Amino acid sequence: MLSKSENDAFVRQRQQIIISAAKICFSRSGFHGASMADISRESGLGAGQIYRYFESKEFIVSETIKSIATSWRVFLQDNLPKQSSTRDIIDAESPFWQDWPYQDRCLLLEMYSEASRNQSVREVLAQEEQLLIADLEKAFSRQYAQVSPQQRNERIQFLLMLVDGVACRAFGDKNLDHHEQGRINGILTHHLFG
């Protein structure tokens, strides 16, 4: 017989197995293209077992989106304050992006797509973005104490647009002009970090 804490840990472990399997399926087929049978096969758990931990596929999608959004926020919290130029941000092959795996790139695009038609996903993203902006404001106020709060906020907003744009566009376009990237980096770095 498991204690309550052991049982809670077991439930969390099973839920994580299911969400990890769902991420693989969703990155391949999308939130709506992946089936419960796909998730069951990928997780190694029967459909009945999955339904013990998640009442529906929609609930799995919701929990997966929360997981992706949190991972994206943490990734940006950890990496944006370390940048002193936009060079690595606008280069999808740079060290900046190495800790954001291909599967997560696919899931991020799927999540943004889902947000365009699903209010609850938009709310999850808005909540995570508020946490991210608050954290970046703290980090940037230490780094750029001479810059007004409004200017810091504008820089943060622009950096977020930039990383979202790279995440949504540059990962799929391998034919970008590197000379033009360098020119644009110079302009952006001067205005954002100069």
Side-chain angles (χ1 to χ4, degrees):
M1 187 81 169
L2 295 176
S3 69
K4 177 162 175 30
S5 63
E6 290 171 327
N7 186 57
D8 290 347
F10 180 77
V11 168
R12 281 191 303 276
Q13 177 197 30
R14 284 296 174 107
Q15 288 173 330
Q16 191 54 51
I17 289 168
I18 295 164
I19 288 174
S20 295
K23 284 181 176 182
I24 292 167
C25 296
F26 296 151
S27 70
R28 280 193 305 243
S29 305
F31 292 132
H32 302 288
S35 68
M36 285 298 283
D38 296 330
I39 296 168
S40 176
R41 219 176 358 265
E42 191 66 44
S43 68
L45 299 171
Q49 290 176 300
I50 291 174
Y51 284 117
R52 282 187 204 147
Y53 305 104
F54 294 102
E55 62 190 47
S56 66
K57 179 183 165 194
E58 289 74 29
F59 197 69
I60 294 172
V61 169
S62 175
E63 292 303 305
T64 301
I65 286 170
K66 289 176 187 173
S67 174
I68 299 162
T70 300
S71 295
W72 181 235
R73 174 180 51 82
V74 170
F75 170 79
L76 294 176
Q77 281 175 328
D78 290 346
N79 289 290
L80 278 177
K82 298 174 187 172
Q83 301 304 304
S84 59
S85 84
T86 58
R87 181 177 47 93
D88 283 348
I89 295 171
I90 63 176
D91 179 1
E93 303 299 322
S94 75
F96 177 84
W97 293 104
Q98 285 179 348
D99 291 334
W100 193 251
Y102 180 77
Q103 174 185 305
D104 292 346
R105 295 172 189 185
C106 295
L107 290 169
L108 188 65
L109 293 174
E110 185 68 19
M111 182 179 68
Y112 282 144
S113 176
E114 187 68 17
S116 71
R117 59 185 169 265
N118 185 322
Q119 177 65 29
S120 65
V121 174
R122 283 193 297 277
E123 290 170 4
V124 167
L125 294 180
Q127 180 181 11
E128 290 295 328
E129 187 171 279
Q130 288 174 350
L131 293 171
L132 174 61
I133 290 170
D135 189 69
L136 292 175
E137 169 59 32
K138 288 177 195 168
F140 284 16
S141 66
R142 289 188 297 270
Q143 288 177 287
Y144 306 103
Q146 74 282 7
V147 175
S148 74
Q150 180 179 347
Q151 288 174 317
R152 276 194 304 274
N153 185 53
E154 289 168 357
R155 288 178 183 187
I156 290 167
Q157 293 296 329
F158 186 82
L159 285 170
L160 293 179
M161 285 190 302
L162 188 61
V163 294
D164 284 345
V166 171
C168 291
R169 184 80 183 154
F171 291 129
D173 188 354
K174 302 297 182 199
N175 298 317
L176 295 174
D177 181 334
H178 292 287
H179 177 71
E180 184 63 7
Q181 262 186 315
R183 186 184 75 75
I184 291 169
N185 174 58
I187 294 166
L188 294 175
T189 296
H190 174 74
H191 287 290
L192 292 171
F193 300 104

